[in-house]
Amino acid sequence: MGLWNMLTGAGRADAGPENPGARDPSDDAWFGMGGRRSEIDVTVTIERARKIPVIRDCLQVRSESVAGLGMGIFEVTDSGDTRPREDHPVLKVMHDPNPRMTSFDFFNTLVDDLDTDGNFYAEISTDDRGDLSELWRLEPELTQIEELPDRSKRYRHTDRFGRTRILLEDEVWHIAMPPLVENLRGRSAILDDGREAVAVAIALQRYANILFTNDATPNFMIGFPDGQHFDSEQSKSNFIAAMRKWSTGKNRHTPAVLEHGMKPHKVGLSSEEAQFLETRKELWLDLTRLWRMQPHKVGILDRATFSNIEEQSLDFVTSTLTPILELIERSVNKFLIADARFRFEFNVATLLRGDMRARFEAYALGRQWGWLSVNDILRMERRNGIGAAGDRYIEPLNMVPVGVADRERPAKDSTAAAIQFLRQSVAGSGGKPRLELIKDAV
């Protein structure tokens, strides 16, 4: 719909000379430009949806959880091993995307754009060597994507000053939330897939606001006994004006008198009759499903217990965050790094950490069975290592390959290695030996 149609109402099916009310200035459409109309005739916009507490919580929890994660770029060697590459130019930009934003701000906004509009755009800046140097976010509502005949893409961005620029495909980092629309744009959870649920939430919130504005009093009508009526339309207007004056402003809750057998009659349903609270709770659950959010994360604890919250927290990482993390990681690898030797990854270990006892029990198993060293454990706890001695791995004495006899162990060499280690330990600890199990020691 063009701007002229939006302003004149020509694009609406019910607009026309025979129906002038279709362009009523009191219509919500005049205050929701850029939004989309729902089946219940409520205009849904991203900004309006943010005012619903459950939606705001879902967006905030997802974006802040991703923004707070650690990240790294790893190089895959010819032998298949991986090693961190802290000096990679893309990683430096991820930690400091531009002079105005921190990495937390950048990834927080990135996830929020994907969860609301379904698209994230960032303008790519490079240095003299052609390496990535900065990423500048482009507002999704001000950016249009176009497909050219050769299947390449270009972007038309209009900044807040009204200036329009054309950016080519290699000048914009674009992440689209699948499934894609026309293989170009992502789908919005608010404006596309969840539009009707969000519209009901807006209508319900609006109903609550109006209800409490009127002192939680439902609408009513005044009726005459049979055979009686107002003498004229002017008398009716005067009576309605008097009732309005009595029931609003400072005159609320003051007594009134109805004469000539008049009786009030309630119109519509009360909030209890309409099951307002029950409807709102079920609607909140529907809204959390748009982002696959666990209810306890947004304060819905009706069905939560202490025994299942930990499992729900793990499910939050595996079901809620993992898909969007994979989406971002693969986009970075394909469009920013573009080298199969390197891969970008988020570190979700901090979100998967259990309580202290469970964590230490897991470390003990890894240490005893030989696939964790002391320094490995300390790194996972974000503590400094203890030196070269902390890099040793141990194994149970009864875990040897089948068919290996005790006489085949190099006893002499093992004994010499153990004595050498004890001498080094005594020399480095003020005369007190540090006893440690040495692999193949006898």
Side-chain angles (χ1 to χ4, degrees):
M1 179 185 294
L3 181 61
W4 175 254
N5 290 344
M6 184 182 297
L7 295 175
T8 61
R12 298 185 56 181
D14 54 353
E18 67 281 357
N19 188 12
R23 296 191 296 270
D24 185 357
S26 64
D27 193 338
D28 289 338
W30 298 102
F31 304 97
M33 293 185 181
R36 307 200 183 163
R37 207 73 171 175
S38 67
E39 292 182 358
I40 61 174
D41 210 26
V42 172
T43 300
V44 177
T45 65
I46 293 175
E47 290 304 315
R48 181 62 184 86
R50 289 184 189 275
K51 295 180 173 62
I52 299 173
V54 173
I55 294 180
R56 180 69 183 98
D57 279 352
C58 288
L59 298 176
Q60 189 170 12
V61 168
R62 279 173 57 96
S63 59
E64 290 182 351
S65 297
V66 174
L69 293 176
M71 62 190 114
I73 290 181
F74 300 88
E75 181 181 3
V76 182
T77 62
D78 295 336
S79 62
D81 297 332
T82 60
R83 60 180 180 180
R85 289 295 302 268
E86 298 293 336
D87 59 339
H88 199 284
V90 173
L91 184 61
K92 294 180 180 179
V93 174
M94 292 300 164
H95 286 301
D96 186 15
N98 59 66
R100 293 185 181 178
M101 303 180 76
T102 65
S103 61
F104 188 93
D105 299 331
F106 183 79
F107 282 99
N108 191 313
T109 308
L110 186 155
V111 176
D112 186 84
D113 284 348
L114 290 175
D115 285 344
T116 53
D117 186 84
N119 296 277
F120 170 77
Y121 306 96
E123 184 177 358
I124 297 174
S125 296
T126 57
D127 56 20
D128 296 337
R129 297 179 299 177
D131 293 332
L132 180 68
S133 60
E134 291 179 348
L135 288 172
W136 290 89
R137 171 184 175 261
L138 304 175
E139 296 185 7
E141 60 270 19
L142 301 179
T143 305
Q144 297 178 350
I145 181 172
E146 302 171 354
E147 185 177 22
L148 301 179
D150 60 354
R151 291 189 177 180
S152 64
K153 296 180 292 185
R154 68 180 182 185
Y155 301 86
R156 187 184 303 272
H157 176 70
T158 304
D159 61 22
R160 61 180 181 273
F161 303 107
R163 299 173 299 192
T164 300
R165 294 185 300 147
I166 302 296
L167 300 172
L168 301 180
E169 188 170 4
D170 59 354
E171 296 177 304
V172 175
W173 179 33
H174 175 208
I175 306 178
M177 181 68 76
L180 303 184
V181 179
E182 299 177 350
N183 290 327
L184 292 175
R185 296 178 295 277
R187 293 183 64 86
S188 169
I190 293 176
L191 301 179
D192 295 320
D193 299 333
R195 184 195 317 168
E196 300 305 325
V198 175
V200 173
I202 294 174
L204 196 64
Q205 190 176 65
R206 184 178 301 164
Y207 168 80
N209 294 341
I210 295 174
L211 181 67
F212 285 101
T213 299
N214 294 324
D215 290 341
T217 303
N219 294 333
F220 63 91
M221 299 178 64
I222 304 296
F224 271 112
D226 293 341
Q228 298 188 32
H229 55 80
F230 287 105
D231 295 338
S232 63
E233 288 297 326
Q234 184 63 40
S235 298
K236 183 190 296 185
S237 300
N238 293 339
F239 176 77
I240 293 175
M243 288 296 297
R244 184 180 295 113
K245 182 178 180 181
W246 160 74
S247 60
T248 59
K250 296 181 179 180
N251 294 323
R252 290 177 178 176
H253 309 295
T254 57
V257 177
L258 295 177
E259 303 182 34
H260 308 295
M262 294 181 179
K263 293 183 179 180
H265 301 279
K266 185 178 67 172
V267 178
L269 300 175
S270 64
S271 58
E272 292 81 5
E273 293 169 339
Q275 296 183 333
F276 176 78
L277 296 178
E278 291 78 5
T279 301
R280 186 175 62 171
K281 287 181 180 180
E282 291 301 320
L283 181 60
W284 285 355
L285 289 175
D286 278 345
L287 293 175
T288 61
R289 294 186 182 103
L290 294 178
W291 295 277
R292 206 180 297 173
M293 181 65 64
Q294 287 67 27
H296 79 278
K297 285 288 188 179
V298 293
I300 303 176
L301 303 175
D302 296 349
R303 302 172 187 174
T305 64
F306 289 106
S307 61
N308 66 7
I309 280 188
E310 183 175 357
E311 293 298 326
Q312 291 187 45
S313 298
L314 295 177
D315 183 65
F316 169 71
V317 177
T318 57
S319 300
T320 304
L321 291 186
T322 297
I324 195 167
L325 294 179
E326 289 280 352
L327 178 66
I328 299 171
E329 289 172 353
R330 298 189 185 192
S331 181
V332 172
N333 293 333
K334 182 177 179 63
F335 300 109
L336 298 184
I337 297 179
D339 189 336
R341 295 177 302 160
F342 303 95
R343 68 169 184 259
F344 172 82
E345 290 183 1
F346 288 102
N347 181 12
V348 298
T350 54
L351 297 178
L352 294 173
R353 293 168 66 178
D355 56 33
M356 181 176 292
R357 180 177 179 180
R359 196 164 68 251
F360 286 179
E361 288 176 352
Y363 292 155
L365 288 175
R367 177 70 174 140
Q368 292 168 9
W369 287 97
W371 53 274
L372 281 181
S373 68
V374 173
N375 285 344
D376 291 336
I377 297 172
L378 290 173
R379 276 192 292 269
M380 287 187 284
E381 289 293 314
R382 295 187 176 182
R383 299 178 62 183
N384 295 329
I386 61 173
D391 291 326
R392 296 178 181 270
Y393 294 89
I394 62 176
E395 70 177 40
L397 291 177
N398 62 337
M399 301 298 293
V400 296
V402 175
V404 176
D406 291 341
R407 64 178 180 273
E408 297 182 26
R409 291 175 173 269
K412 184 177 180 180
D413 294 341
S414 299
T415 303
I419 294 174
Q420 179 66 19
F421 171 75
L422 289 176
R423 289 174 177 173
Q424 294 176 355
S425 176
V426 171
S429 59
K432 296 180 180 180
R434 293 173 54 190
L435 299 180
E436 180 173 340
L437 183 62
I438 307 300
K439 183 177 180 181
D440 294 332
V442 295

